[in-house]
Amino acid sequence: QVQLVESGGGLVQAGGSLTLSCVDSGRTSRTYAMGWFRQAPGKEREFVSSLRIGGNTWYTDSVKGRFTISRDATKNTVYLQMNSLKPEDTAIYYCAAQVVFRLAVNAPKDYDYWGQGTQVTVSS
């Protein structure tokens, strides 16, 4: 059973940085990809970034050059380093794990397990 726990959210001024962490604290299953999504009030959950285990990374256009996804396999942890934050980055951020292989990695339906979310608020 995968149990994802996010941390690292908070309140930051525009231009600041935060690093989100997502640890699989449960019994580790084989994972094919990890993703970060976000959901702002009144909006649908949207793709932010994903990482194919042992492979490529992807980013939505609005965060390219500002966010970096990475993974520490020894700690069963995936990170999202967020720099140059903007007020429009304000949302609840969720990490997700793909344990049933799919080619696609950029939609909520491509993932099998989700964390509880962590709030990121960027003030102007």
Side-chain angles (χ1 to χ4, degrees):
Q1 181 75 18
V2 175
Q3 295 181 354
L4 303 176
V5 179
E6 301 102 333
S7 62
L11 173 64
V12 64
Q13 289 187 333
S17 298
L18 285 173
T19 300
L20 304 184
S21 300
C22 173
V23 59
D24 178 1
S25 61
R27 177 179 163 182
T28 302
S29 302
R30 173 148 188 196
T31 304
Y32 294 96
M34 295 293 297
W36 285 97
F37 291 78
R38 64 188 180 187
Q39 189 166 17
K43 294 187 177 181
E44 292 187 353
R45 191 168 298 190
E46 66 171 358
F47 170 75
V48 176
S49 179
S50 62
L51 178 152
R52 174 71 70 193
I53 303 302
N56 294 334
T57 59
W58 293 268
Y59 300 90
T60 192
D61 286 347
S62 64
V63 308
K64 285 181 180 177
R66 301 189 297 123
F67 290 12
T68 303
I69 190 171
S70 62
R71 175 177 175 258
D72 185 338
T74 65
K75 298 181 180 179
N76 291 328
T77 301
V78 173
Y79 303 95
L80 186 67
Q81 172 69 43
M82 306 186 295
N83 298 326
S84 302
L85 282 161
K86 304 176 181 180
E88 51 264 44
D89 295 319
T90 295
I92 299 174
Y93 283 69
Y94 299 89
C95 72
Q98 183 187 90
V99 301
V100 177
F101 181 79
R102 306 157 178 81
L103 281 175
V105 294
N106 63 356
K109 64 178 177 62
D110 301 325
Y111 293 86
D112 306 291
Y113 292 94
W114 292 83
Q116 83 289 349
T118 186
Q119 176 72 47
V120 172
T121 303
V122 184
S123 64
S124 58

